[in-house]
Structure formats: C-alpha cells, structure tokens
Amino acid sequence: MKFSDLILQTAAKVLVFIIMTFSIYILFAGHHNPGGGFIGGLITASALMLLYIAFDAETIQEIIPVDFKIIGAIGVLMALLTGISAVVVDSAFLTQVYKYVDLPLLGKTGIGTALVFDLGVYLAVVGTTMTIIRSISEDM
Amino acid sequence: METLTTIVEYAVVLAVLFGVVFCLLGALGLVRMPDVYLRSHAATKSATLGVLCVLAGAFLYFALFEGHISAKLLLGILFVFLTSPVAGHLNGRAAYRSGVKLWRRSVRDDWEKALQQKEKGASSQENVRQ
C-alpha cells in the first residue's frame, strides 16, 4: 500500500533542509565543539530516512540517484588517503597538520587535514547507514 | 543594568517553571484521558509548549548571563514547533486507520463520513468506467 500524507510530506520538505544544515554544522564544528564526522553522518542519514518515510522509495531513488555503497567506499578511501599523504611528505602515517589561513570571505580560519579525515568518516557513515536501511526495506 | 538583570532573571525562572508545569500537565493528561485521541491532544500540545518555554528560558539565560547567542537553541525551538504537531497528527491518523474506537461518549465522527463518501465516489467511478 502506498502511504501518502500531505501534512507529513510538506513538513518533511521543510525539515530536511533544517536537518541537513545542522548536520553540516555538526561536521565542521567537530574540531572545537562536540560533533564530528560520525554524528554528522548519522544526522544526514536520518534526514534521508525522513524523506524515505514521507515519500516512497522509488521517488527518492529517482531524485537522489546515488549508490550509497559507492559513497561509503569513497569515504573510506578519503580517510585512507589522508593517512597516506602524510607518508608521502616523510611523516608518520596519519600525521595531521593544522594551520590558520586567511580566506577571502571567512577571514582567519583554521584548516586542518583532520577535516578531510572527518569528511571521509562522514561519507562512510552515510553510505553504511543508508545501505543497511535500503537493503532491509527492499526485502519487504 | 542591575534592574535589567533582575528582570531577565525572573523571566528565565518564570519561563522554565511555566514550561515544566506544562510538561507535567501533559503527563497528567496522558494518564487521565480516556482514549488515544484525547491523550494525544493533551500530550502533543502541552508538551510542545512546555519544551518551547524551557528552551526559550535557556536561550535567555545564555544570551544575558553567558553572553552567548545560541543559534542551536533557536533552531531547536523552531524544530520542536514544526515536528511535534506533525507527530501528533501521524499518531492520531495511524490510530484511526488501524481501527481504534473513539471514546464511547463522542457525539460525532466527521472523518468516518468523509471516508465513506470517498469510498462511494471511488466505487461509482468504477461503475462509470465499466
């Protein structure tokens, strides 16, 4: 049976933007505040889940034509490459660099290679969670 | 500045107290009400207002006494305000769709009539097609 509820669908359309924004904030706040790649990825996955609940799986699959297995693989690869790039410049594996840079719009911003690692964790978590949920729901 | 601090102190205390009392009233309504729909009516509204008041009190406290404008709390207020009524609606709808009876002293049920009309309309359309 196809479930459709106008109130839920309209609310989901607004809420997904709030949840996604919050997940990105959590991802970037990870260095100085509570947050980071893992919890940011889980929040993004929950926003996607809200879409899956409010609409049906085929519609979402059309709108977001992404294979989440590949997303997870890209995430793990990114985390691995930050480690290997440290070896390339003659440091120990997974050595992180933190540096303050003057960006044109944001001013003085601290950028670390840990962010790339966190991004990898984020993508891996999103990919894994969505793959698990999708493959369970397809059996039903 | 001294009076302003005092006023905000009282505002924070009142907001939090008001919110907690409303949450308590929601919990009491959950225990005391006779059927699912009245319970969800009591719990959804009063808990939403209660949580909003507590969050607003926390926001005021951090804004004035710690000098920290917390956008997360504002976002939380907006989020609870948007989601909680939708959750209440879905609870009630799911209960009605799975056949939970109304309280025995209820006098009218408009949705039942609407659903019957909808079914009738669907069947007459099928007749036309045939």
Side-chain angles (χ1 to χ4, degrees), chain A residues 51-123:
Chain A
L51 280 180
Y52 271 98
I53 292 171
F55 302 91
D56 56 319
E58 286 81 29
T59 318
I60 303 303
Q61 188 62 31
E62 265 175 40
I63 294 169
I64 313 171
V66 185
D67 191 351
F68 286 104
K69 284 195 278 293
I70 295 174
I71 297 275
I74 291 172
V76 174
L77 207 65
M78 266 172 80
L80 192 66
L81 282 179
T82 51
I84 292 174
S85 65
V87 176
V88 169
V89 294
D90 247 5
S91 307
F93 184 63
L94 277 176
T95 305
Q96 306 287 334
V97 186
Y98 194 79
K99 201 174 158 190
Y100 283 100
V101 194
D102 275 320
L103 290 179
L105 213 62
L106 297 168
K108 190 184 170 197
T109 315
I111 291 181
T113 49
L115 181 63
V116 184
F117 186 80
D118 244 10
L119 217 63
V121 174
Y122 172 86
L123 289 179

Side-chain angles (χ1 to χ4, degrees), chain B residues 66-130:
Chain B
E66 313 271 322
H68 173 237
I69 304 287
S70 174
K72 269 180 276 182
L73 279 173
L74 287 181
L75 206 64
I77 290 175
L78 179 72
F79 195 77
V80 172
F81 187 66
L82 275 177
T83 50
S84 177
V86 176
H89 157 76
L90 285 173
N91 267 341
R93 183 189 150 106
Y96 194 92
R97 280 291 169 98
S98 52
V100 177
K101 289 276 178 293
L102 269 68
W103 187 33
R104 67 194 151 75
R105 275 197 242 162
S106 308
V107 285
R108 58 187 281 182
D109 185 357
D110 281 343
W111 200 17
E112 194 183 13
K113 264 189 257 166
L115 280 179
Q116 274 172 2
Q117 260 176 13
K118 206 173 158 188
E119 260 172 38
K120 220 186 281 171
S123 62
S124 69
Q125 264 183 2
E126 271 171 26
N127 288 340
V128 167
R129 258 183 239 140
Q130 284 164 1

